[in-house]
Amino acid sequence: MTTSDTTNPGTDAGPEPVAGPDSRLHTFFNDPRWALAMVRATVLEAAHPQIGAALIDNSTFVAHPWRRLHNTFLSMQRMIGADAQVRGREAARLNRMHERLKGTDPRSRPYDAMDPGARAWVVATLYESSVTMCRLSGQPLDQAFMEELYAEFRAVLATMGDEPGQLPDSLPEFWQYFDRTVEEELENTEAMRIILYKLFDHLPAPPLLSGFPTLWATGRAVAGPVVGAIAVASLPESFRRRAGLPEMPGAQTLMQGTYLAVGLARFLPAGWIQPEAVIDLLALSPDSDDPRARTVAALHSRMKRAGALLRLITPLPAQSAPASRTASATDSAQRQDAEGFFRQVLDQTGNGSLDWPDLAAMARELAGRLDLDEPEETRLYHAFADWWRELQSALDSDGDGSISAQEYAAAAPGLAGPALIRVAETLFEVTDRNGDQQIDADEYRTLFRTAFHRDVSGAGGVTYTRSAFVREFLTFMSGRQRSTPFDPLLAGA
C-alpha cells in the first residue's frame, strides 16, 4: 500500500496511507456498485443544511447532470491518484472553488462551502456509503479493511488542508459521529428532494443518446422512480422516518437485489466497466473527433432514416395551408429562441432566472476544462463578474437582483457589450497556453472536447485567431447562433 511520511493522529498504525493504485480506496473506483454508493452519498450530503443550500444556489447538477458527473469523476480520479503533485493541485483548485460558494439558505442561515464540518461530512458520507455498499451486496468488509479504508479517507480530507480532528481518530468514534450527525443535523432539504424525486425523473439524455429522445424518455420513465426508491431504501432508517420519506412496498428487496445484480458486473471484462470509459462514452457527441463518434453518427443517421421512412408511409391528417409569417409572428419566434437560449445556456443552475451563480458556473466549467492555475482562474472569474454587473445594469428592469427569461428576451439583440467582449478576450488568452495569439488543435480540444468543424491539417494545425474566436463567442453568447462548439460546452447536459 502506498504511504506518506505523515502519521495518523491518535493511532499507532504508523504512516497514514494516501490514495494510489495499491490503496483500499482505489479498489472501489472500478466497482460498478460504487455508482449506487455515490448516489446514496450525494443524498446524504444534500440533506446537510449547509451543503444542500450550496447545491441549490450554485450547483449545475439539475440543468447539467452529465457534465457535473464527468467533472466529479475527473476530480475524484485526481484526488485518489498516485501522483502527490496532481493531488495537491486538485485540492488547491477545489479549495478555490469552495471559497467562492457562500450565502444564506431560505431560512436565513449562512452557509459556507469551506465550513470544516460540512467538508468532513462529504468525506464521511463517501466512506460510510462505500462500507454500506459492500454490506448491502452481501460482501461485508472485515474490520481491518474498514480501518485501512477509513485512514485513506481521512488522508484525502487532510490533502484538502482540513484539520485531522474534523473526522474522529478511530473507527468506533466515527460511527458515533455519523449516527449523531444523521440524528441531529440532517434535514429534508430541497436539494435532497430534487435528487430523489426530480433529478432522475427528468434526467436529460446524455450526448450519446441525444438523437433518441423517445427511447430515452421511455427508459427514464421506468428507471427514474426505481433509482429514487432504491436510494430512499438505502438511507438510515431513523432519518427516513424523521424526514418523512415514503418507502414503496418491496423497496428493501429491490434495493438488495439491485446491489447484488450490479455487483455481478465486476466479472465482466475490465474495459467494459471502467468508469472513465463509460462516462466518456456517454459524453461523446456524434460530431466529436473521437473515432467512436463515427459509429454513433452512423447509428443516429440510420435511426433518422428509419423515422423518415415511417413518416412517409404513415397517412397524415389534412392540414390547413400555413399562414404567411407576419412581423409579429417573427418577433414572437425570436423571443422564443431567446428564451430557449436563456434556459439551455444562461440558466446554468436551472432555477428559472439568471443570477451571478449561473455565470460563476460558466467560469468554473471553463476554468476546470482548461485546468487553470490561480492567477488565470481569477482573471476569468473577474471577467464574468464584470459581465454580470453589465447584464444587471442593462436587463434587470424590476431591480430584484436577478434577470428573468422575459427580461433577457426583450433585450437579447444588444447583449454584446464591452464586458462580454472582455470575457471573450480573457477566455482566448487563457486558452492560448503558448501565447502565440492563435488557438491550435490541442488547445482547442482541451477547451471543447469535440470536433473542430475545420481543417486542422494545414499551416501547422493553427485554426483559431483571436478575432475569429472572439467573434464566434460573442455570436453565441448573445444568442444569435447555436451551431458552434460553444453549444455543447455550455448548453450540453
Side-chain angles (χ1 to χ4, degrees), residues 137-211:
S137 57
Q139 295 178 315
L141 302 176
D142 59 45
Q143 186 68 20
F145 191 111
M146 286 194 293
E147 290 180 351
E148 292 172 359
L149 182 64
Y150 181 58
E152 292 174 4
F153 271 98
R154 292 184 80 236
V156 170
L157 188 62
T159 302
M160 298 290 293
D162 291 67
E163 293 295 328
Q166 292 301 324
L167 284 178
D169 292 341
S170 69
L171 193 52
E173 291 174 309
F174 169 81
W175 295 121
Q176 295 175 10
Y177 151 80
F178 184 86
D179 291 340
R180 184 173 61 252
T181 303
V182 168
E183 291 294 333
E184 299 177 2
E185 296 190 36
L186 300 194
E187 299 176 357
N188 189 341
T189 64
E190 181 184 359
M192 185 193 72
R193 293 192 298 272
I194 288 176
I195 294 171
L196 289 175
Y197 303 119
K198 178 181 177 182
L199 180 60
F200 296 112
D201 287 350
H202 299 84
L203 190 68
L208 177 67
L209 299 176
S210 60

Side-chain angles (χ1 to χ4, degrees), residues 124-135:
T125 62
L126 292 172
Y127 171 74
E128 190 273 345
S129 292
S130 299
V131 173
T132 300
M133 167 194 83
C134 295
R135 176 176 57 81

Side-chain angles (χ1 to χ4, degrees), residues 292-478:
R292 295 170 297 177
R294 300 190 188 101
T295 302
V296 175
L299 182 59
H300 279 214
S301 177
R302 290 181 181 180
M303 291 293 290
K304 289 179 180 178
R305 287 200 298 269
L309 177 61
L310 181 63
R311 289 191 298 271
L312 183 64
I313 63 178
T314 302
L316 296 176
Q319 296 180 343
S320 57
S324 59
R325 192 159 188 168
T326 63
S328 60
T330 301
D331 291 343
S332 177
Q334 290 175 346
R335 287 182 66 88
Q336 290 179 358
D337 290 344
E339 291 181 10
F341 179 81
F342 180 95
R343 290 190 302 271
Q344 297 171 26
V345 177
L346 297 180
D347 183 13
Q348 291 281 307
T349 59
N351 66 352
S353 64
L354 176 59
D355 310 274
W356 163 241
D358 296 303
L359 300 194
M362 291 185 195
R364 188 164 63 242
E365 172 65 17
L366 296 170
R369 288 203 178 205
L370 296 171
D371 197 19
L372 299 181
D373 289 322
E374 192 280 329
E376 292 177 325
E377 181 183 279
T378 299
R379 283 180 57 207
L380 189 63
Y381 269 91
H382 285 172
F384 271 94
D386 290 340
W387 184 37
W388 168 238
R389 286 188 284 269
E390 182 177 81
L391 286 172
Q392 272 191 306
S393 176
L395 304 183
D396 185 13
S397 57
D398 57 10
D400 64 353
S402 64
I403 298 168
S404 67
Q406 293 73 29
E407 288 174 326
Y408 167 78
L415 281 182
L420 181 57
I421 294 173
R422 185 56 192 154
V423 169
E425 292 175 339
T426 302
L427 181 57
F428 175 87
E429 291 162 4
V430 298
T431 304
D432 178 23
R433 304 306 290 267
N434 60 11
D436 65 354
Q437 295 301 303
Q438 298 198 32
I439 293 178
D440 60 28
D442 290 337
E443 292 165 341
Y444 190 103
R445 287 188 177 93
T446 298
L447 177 60
F448 293 114
R449 298 192 198 126
T450 188
F452 271 79
H453 306 290
R454 292 176 174 78
D455 178 15
V456 300
S457 59
V462 173
T463 61
Y464 237 152
T465 64
R466 174 188 287 265
S467 60
F469 182 92
V470 170
R471 180 172 60 253
E472 193 160 336
F473 183 84
L474 294 177
T475 300
F476 176 77
M477 292 306 296
S478 59

Side-chain angles (χ1 to χ4, degrees), residues 229-230 233 247-256:
I230 292 172
E247 183 178 332
M248 61 180 286
Q252 289 291 330
T253 302
L254 174 64
M255 172 194 65
Q256 292 178 338

Side-chain angles (χ1 to χ4, degrees), residues 26 29-31 69-70 73-74 77-78 270-284 290 292:
H26 203 273
F29 204 62
N30 289 324
D31 191 325
L69 173 65
H70 183 281
F73 169 79
L74 179 61
Q77 188 179 49
R78 292 169 175 171
W272 291 16
I273 59 174
Q274 287 184 346
E276 183 175 12
V278 174
I279 292 174
D280 283 348
L281 183 62
L282 289 173
L284 188 65
D290 189 304
R292 295 170 297 177

Side-chain angles (χ1 to χ4, degrees), residues 44-56 111 117-119 121-122 191:
L44 289 171
E45 291 169 21
H48 190 286
Q50 289 217 43
I51 300 172
L55 285 172
I56 286 295
Y111 69 81
R119 285 157 64 91
W121 179 245
V122 171

